[in-house]
Amino acid sequence: MDVAGARFDYIVVGAGSAGCVLAARLSEDSRVRVLLIEAGGKDSNPWIHVPLGYGKLFTHPKLNWRFETEPEPELGNRRIAQPRGRVLGGSSAINGLLYVRGQAQDFDQWAQAGCTGWSHDDVLPYFRRSERQVRGADRWHGGDGPLDVSDQSEPHPFCEAFIAAGENIGARRNDDFNGATQDGVGYYQTTMRRGRRASAATAYLHPARSRRNLAVVTDALVTRVVFDGLRAVGVEWRVGAGVFRADAMREVVLCAGAIGSPQLLELSGVGQAERLRTLGVPVVLDAPQVGENLQDHLQVRVVFKARRPLTVNDELANPLRMARMALRYALFRKGSLTVSAGYAGGFFTTSPVSDTPDTQVLFIPFSMAKSGARLDRFSGFTISACQLRPTSRGSVHAVSLDPATPPAIRLNYLSTATDRLAVVRALTLIRSLAAQPSLSGEIAKEHAPGLDTQGDAALLDYARATASSLYHPTCTVRMGGSPDAPLDPRLRLRGIDGLRVVDGSAMPDVVSGNTNAPIIMMAEKAADMIREDAR
Ligand SMILES: Cc1cc2nc3c(=O)[nH]c(=O)nc-3n(C[C@H](O)[C@H](O)[C@H](O)COP(=O)(O)OP(=O)(O)OC[C@H]3O[C@@H](n4cnc5c(N)ncnc54)[C@H](O)[C@@H]3O)c2cc1C
């Protein structure tokens, strides 16, 4: 299909978690023509498809935008890594594969805050529609959707010890964090099919690629949305030195993610008027909240030296064991190469005023000095935790007219007393888990921060010096019921016709969990809304 200069019904910008869903669902109707434009390339790198490969993609120069925050004042002015996928599948192609939806209460609160149609009862059918649950369908889960959801390939002795420790401190065993309730300890489920990653591209886009009414353009950086007055009528993109344009007869749908979508809106003239004028962008619409309200989960990690050499560190340090690991994976799709970024874990309530879990814990049978670094040379494992509903708020704003220049990302992590207290409680929780006999028996030593770090002030200092993102930036073009929210609850940009934003940026508040599954759900729901509104 000839794309440049052509007219489509829908143009979807960004082939990430949300964009792949929308391109696939909208093109189910053979009467409409859909164009999907992605800045990155094809998802042919083998490390995308081997689950543990996310370690190789964390700083990949081509497949990853490798954003960083501005210096974070409460984190010792450190710049915090914000990896984002730049490839078909977007961040779902480089993420840690955990399948976690959040809490029913998250969505009920969205609805109570004015996002009509987004209560848990409203969104559950879309979670189910997206899902092919390995255990089969039930009230909570779908059995025949595009996205494969699997159990871990096998139990791990350290995970068993961790789960027992959780039960010792009063948590219940929970084999389904996405079922009736989230709280408790157990193994995570993952977006995987028989040991291979299920990204939004493999689940949704690739099965739709042969459709004649779907055009996919890769390696094309969208530079702006084109407006006719207050109506979005197309987009422009760049490939090398060439600038191309296509027209959208019905809608432009931005799915460029929580960092890309607000930047693209600002460069197209939609944002805070004063800021746009300073930048030199002609103002199309004064939308002061575009780029504001950025939220993320901040992760703190405790590293332990293990008594027994049963960690991924041990396997990768020994050529013979590494060969065995590769063979087991090739033959049975089991073992360390299938390890997701949390193998076991749990959802705990640490604050006396919280009715639902406020802290997520992740247990991984490997360790390293910091995310993206090489594995430690000793037998090590990591327990990390994050506050599920942070109160710190940040922003994403374009700083240059050149769309290839990264925007300024400010998370303002730990800028509230509530969040500082939460991070101390999270570290204290990890230590109390580690102190339980089932787990302490596996621990030779707490390696970082080490037991000489004691007391709330010292734990907070440790968090300031080492905390990282859990990679869930969201809410920068939030939907809401009141006019100050950039999007209405049907994800239409207020004040502009023919333009929606459907991706992590549209969340009104970050969910209490990982973000891939809820973003896929949002895109499933958006596809229905777009089709309904076209009638
Ligand atoms: C390292 C890492 C680990 C994670 N682990 C997990 C996990 O275990 N479980 C989980 O649920 N979530 C996890 N997440 C988060 C989750 O993957 C993301 O929240 C989700 O994929 C975001 O979906 P999205 O559609 O909003 O954006 P993305 O999937 O990031 O898609 C945006 C797409 O738009 C493209 N784009 C951006 N700007 C432009 C432009 N100007 N022109 C053209 N294309 C553009 C991008 O290249 C990208 O493909 C992780 C994320 C990362 C980075």
Side-chain angles (χ1 to χ4, degrees):
M1 198 185 297
D2 238 355
V3 166
R7 301 171 82 190
F8 293 84
D9 293 287
Y10 300 106
I11 300 182
V12 179
V13 177
S17 298
C20 289
V21 176
L22 276 159
R25 289 298 186 199
L26 293 174
S27 62
E28 281 171 355
D29 179 350
S30 58
R31 291 165 305 177
V32 303
R33 282 162 52 96
V34 179
L35 170 62
L36 174 66
I37 313 180
E38 166 57 40
K42 299 200 168 68
D43 54 344
S44 46
N45 185 307
W47 287 117
I48 292 176
H49 306 286
V50 176
L52 191 63
Y54 55 78
K56 299 257 182 208
L57 309 174
F58 194 81
T59 53
H60 196 286
K62 257 192 86 185
L63 303 175
N64 193 322
W65 292 83
R66 298 190 295 167
F67 293 120
E68 282 190 331
T69 68
E70 297 299 299
E72 282 289 321
E74 296 288 337
L75 298 187
N77 282 325
R78 288 183 298 129
R79 289 181 185 270
I80 305 298
Q82 277 294 347
R84 298 277 93 195
R86 182 182 182 138
V87 59
L88 291 182
S91 299
S92 78
I94 67 161
N95 77 11
L97 293 93
L98 298 193
Y99 183 77
V100 177
R101 296 174 176 178
Q103 298 170 5
Q105 291 82 354
D106 295 330
F107 305 103
D108 289 342
Q109 266 157 28
W110 288 10
Q112 277 157 25
C115 297
T116 310
W118 293 90
S119 72
H120 187 246
D121 282 351
D122 293 317
V123 302
L124 183 58
Y126 292 103
F127 277 119
R128 294 184 76 246
R129 181 166 99 182
S130 67
E131 184 185 12
R132 181 155 57 217
Q133 167 65 242
V134 73
R135 302 174 191 170
D138 63 17
R139 176 168 172 210
W140 310 107
H141 295 283
D144 55 6
L147 185 68
D148 282 283
V149 177
S150 299
D151 288 309
Q152 299 290 355
S153 67
E154 57 194 353
H156 187 289
F158 290 171
C159 293
E160 295 293 320
F162 166 84
I163 291 168
E167 290 178 294
N168 284 348
I169 64 164
R172 69 186 189 96
R173 170 89 194 216
N174 188 348
D175 289 323
D176 185 3
F177 296 132
N178 305 299
T181 60
Q182 190 194 48
D183 67 290
V185 275
Y187 285 97
Y188 283 109
Q189 284 204 300
T190 62
T191 41
M192 236 183 259
R193 178 180 170 79
R194 299 202 185 106
R196 309 255 307 160
R197 176 192 292 274
S199 73
T202 61
Y204 283 89
L205 184 63
H206 296 327
R209 281 298 287 273
S210 58
R211 290 180 192 155
R212 293 165 60 89
N213 62 330
L214 171 63
V216 181
V217 178
T218 52
D219 301 298
L221 183 71
V222 173
T223 50
R224 70 180 184 112
V225 179
V226 181
F227 294 101
D228 178 6
L230 290 174
R231 179 170 183 85
V233 293
V235 303
E236 260 178 25
W237 68 91
R238 209 161 76 186
V239 180
V243 176
F244 305 89
R245 174 181 166 163
D247 294 332
M249 289 175 312
R250 291 187 185 170
E251 295 196 22
V252 172
V253 188
L254 289 189
C255 302
I259 293 166
S261 285
Q263 180 191 22
L264 208 44
L265 282 172
E266 289 185 339
L267 294 182
S268 309
V270 176
Q272 195 193 349
E274 204 41 54
R275 182 182 294 281
L276 300 187
R277 281 191 204 104
T278 311
L279 203 58
V281 181
V283 178
V284 174
L285 179 79
D286 181 19
Q289 285 288 306
V290 165
E292 295 297 315
N293 198 42
L294 174 62
Q295 301 180 29
D296 189 17
H297 292 131
L298 182 72
Q299 170 177 220
V300 279
R301 306 157 67 247
V302 180
V303 172
F304 299 91
K305 284 190 167 167
R307 283 189 195 280
R308 297 194 283 165
L310 301 179
T311 67
V312 180
N313 301 13
D314 299 300
E315 293 206 300
L316 293 188
N318 176 327
L320 264 178
R321 286 185 69 177
M322 195 151 75
R324 217 190 85 177
M325 175 186 85
L327 194 65
R328 271 194 88 214
Y329 180 71
L331 293 177
F332 308 113
R333 296 277 188 250
K334 283 184 189 296
S336 295
L337 285 169
T338 68
V339 168
S340 49
Y343 206 94
F347 292 86
F348 297 83
T349 307
T350 64
S351 158
V353 298
S354 185
D355 296 331
T356 60
D358 55 22
T359 305
Q360 178 176 5
V361 175
L362 303 102
F363 181 97
I364 34 173
F366 59 78
S367 70
M368 51 212 176
K370 61 176 192 169
S371 303
R374 286 171 156 268
L375 294 186
D376 290 322
R377 293 189 180 276
F378 54 83
S379 306
F381 62 83
T382 309
I383 308 180
S384 70
C386 75
Q387 175 197 14
L388 285 169
R389 290 177 294 282
T391 58
S392 300
R393 297 288 181 266
S395 62
V396 172
H397 290 296
V399 292
S400 159
L401 288 177
D402 178 3
T405 302
I409 305 168
R410 293 187 174 82
L411 265 306
N412 300 322
Y413 293 116
L414 300 187
S415 58
T416 67
T418 308
D419 293 3
R420 291 192 288 273
L421 182 58
V423 91
V424 171
R425 285 186 171 141
L427 286 166
T428 308
L429 168 65
I430 294 173
R431 279 200 169 155
S432 73
L433 286 162
Q436 300 309 306
S438 64
L439 193 52
S440 65
E442 300 288 2
I443 295 173
K445 186 181 174 210
E446 181 184 299
H447 173 73
L451 288 177
D452 48 351
T453 301
Q454 291 296 338
D456 291 0
L459 289 176
L460 181 57
D461 282 348
Y462 172 69
R464 290 186 194 282
T466 62
S468 59
S469 174
L470 200 58
Y471 323 119
H472 300 157
T474 41
C475 312
T476 45
V477 194
R478 71 188 163 92
M479 67 165 146
S482 63
D484 62 326
L487 304 180
D488 73 12
R490 294 183 79 73
L491 306 180
R492 295 175 294 214
L493 203 115
R494 285 197 162 90
I496 300 274
D497 284 332
L499 181 60
R500 281 184 225 242
V501 181
V502 184
D503 56 27
S505 55
M507 286 188 183
D509 280 308
V510 68
V511 291
S512 307
N514 308 70
T515 42
N516 186 43
I519 290 169
I520 287 175
M521 172 281 288
M522 292 170 80
E524 284 273 12
K525 186 165 163 55
D528 272 9
M529 295 189 300
I530 290 170
R531 289 189 285 223
E532 282 159 20
D533 293 348
R535 277 184 209 132

